[in-house]
């Protein structure tokens, strides 16, 4: 049984769509994404065969939703890219509104939950829309172990994305891997 999903922009659909509407079954967004999410979760478990990756992805979505509402499209996009690109989930966190992370240390040095908490802290401290702290003070509040040059790159990034929506700022960050979370640069408390 082959199924086809047709997404229609109702604002620009013309008169010729009547026949398509009458021969198709309308699916509401919630039903669509519930089924799509179940399907992609099976794919993650099957293709990636690593329980921790699935747990990381699920927890990442929960953490992201604590920061701001997350559309089903963003959640689904994250999960699909996780399967298609078959890479460390931390690299795709920007799709959920979280600070991306790179894994340059063995995974036993930090849990994925700790890494996601750090990601959330980066968002809250570095991309806070209204704060009286300077970019330098925001960076210092994270207790990072970084060079003055890297600190300056963080400052420049914060200034360059000031006032931009979070997802737009994080799209820019996705291209600047040197600013991603590196557990080697984070002091353990």
């Amino acid at each position: 049984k082959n199924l086809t999903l047709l997404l229609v922009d109702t604002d620009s659909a013309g008169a010729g769509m009547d026949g398509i509407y009458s021969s198709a079954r309308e699916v509401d967004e919630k039903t669509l994404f519930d089924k799509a999410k179940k399907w992609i979760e099976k794919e993650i478990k099957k293709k990636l065969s690593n329980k921790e990756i699935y747990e990381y992805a699920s927890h990442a979505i929960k953490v992201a939703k604590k920061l701001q509402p997350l559309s089903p499209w963003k959640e689904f996009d994250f999960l699909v890219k996780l399967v298609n690109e078959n890479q460390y989930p931390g690299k795709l966190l920007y799709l959920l509104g979280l600070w991306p992370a790179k894994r340059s240390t063995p995974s036993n040095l930090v849990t994925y939950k700790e890494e996601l908490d750090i990601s959330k802290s980066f968002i809250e401290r570095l991309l806070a829309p209204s704060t009286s702290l300077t970019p330098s003070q925001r960076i210092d509040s994270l207790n990072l172990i970084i060079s003055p040059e890297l600190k300056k790159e963080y400052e420049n990034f914060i200034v360059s994305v000031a006032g931009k929506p979070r997802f737009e700022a994080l799209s820019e960050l996705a291209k600047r891997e040197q600013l991603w979370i590196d557990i080697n640069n984070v002091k353990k408390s």
Side-chain angles (χ1 to χ4, degrees):
K1 180 176 174 180
N2 290 329
L3 300 176
T4 301
L5 175 64
L6 177 65
L7 299 175
V8 178
D9 180 357
T10 56
D11 292 335
S12 62
M17 295 297 294
D18 289 342
I20 292 172
Y21 290 141
S22 64
S23 66
R25 181 176 62 122
E26 188 172 335
V27 178
D28 64 277
E29 184 179 65
K30 180 171 178 8
T31 303
L32 172 67
F33 281 108
D34 285 348
K35 288 192 183 282
K37 189 173 176 192
K38 285 178 185 168
W39 172 79
I40 198 65
E41 287 169 349
K42 283 181 193 172
E43 290 297 305
I44 289 171
K45 289 175 183 175
K46 182 172 73 176
K47 288 186 178 176
L48 302 181
S49 67
N50 182 334
K51 185 179 177 191
E52 186 177 336
I53 290 174
Y54 175 73
E55 290 172 358
Y56 187 114
S58 296
H59 194 68
I61 290 167
K62 288 177 189 165
V63 170
K65 286 180 177 180
K66 289 179 184 175
L67 285 171
Q68 72 182 44
L70 192 62
S71 76
W73 280 108
K74 289 200 179 293
E75 192 175 328
F76 186 68
D77 186 37
F78 169 72
L79 294 171
V80 168
K81 285 187 174 147
L82 183 61
V83 170
N84 285 341
E85 296 177 18
N86 194 14
Q87 61 181 312
Y88 181 64
K91 294 181 175 190
L92 301 172
L93 290 176
Y94 71 95
L95 296 169
L96 298 174
L98 294 170
W99 203 276
K102 53 187 169 185
R103 188 56 68 105
S104 61
T105 59
S107 61
N108 62 353
L109 295 180
V110 67
T111 68
Y112 68 85
K113 288 182 180 181
E114 290 171 319
E115 186 169 272
L116 290 166
D117 287 342
I118 293 166
S119 174
K120 183 175 175 265
S121 293
F122 271 56
I123 293 295
E124 292 170 335
R125 295 182 187 184
L126 301 183
L127 295 183
S130 59
T131 180
S132 59
L133 299 177
T134 66
S136 178
Q137 291 169 325
R138 293 186 210 184
I139 296 162
D140 291 343
S141 75
L142 291 169
N143 294 320
L144 300 176
I145 306 165
I146 56 175
S147 68
E149 295 80 19
L150 187 55
K151 182 177 179 181
K152 189 68 179 160
E153 283 189 56
Y154 273 105
E155 290 173 3
N156 290 340
F157 174 74
I158 292 167
V159 169
S160 74
V161 298
K164 290 185 179 179
R166 179 182 302 157
F167 285 100
E168 186 178 330
L170 290 171
S171 282
E172 292 180 29
L173 179 62
K175 301 171 197 152
R176 300 176 74 173
E177 193 171 338
Q178 73 277 15
L179 299 179
W180 293 4
I181 296 167
D182 181 343
I183 296 306
N184 290 324
N185 296 338
V186 179
K187 290 181 188 175
K188 279 276 212 182
S189 37

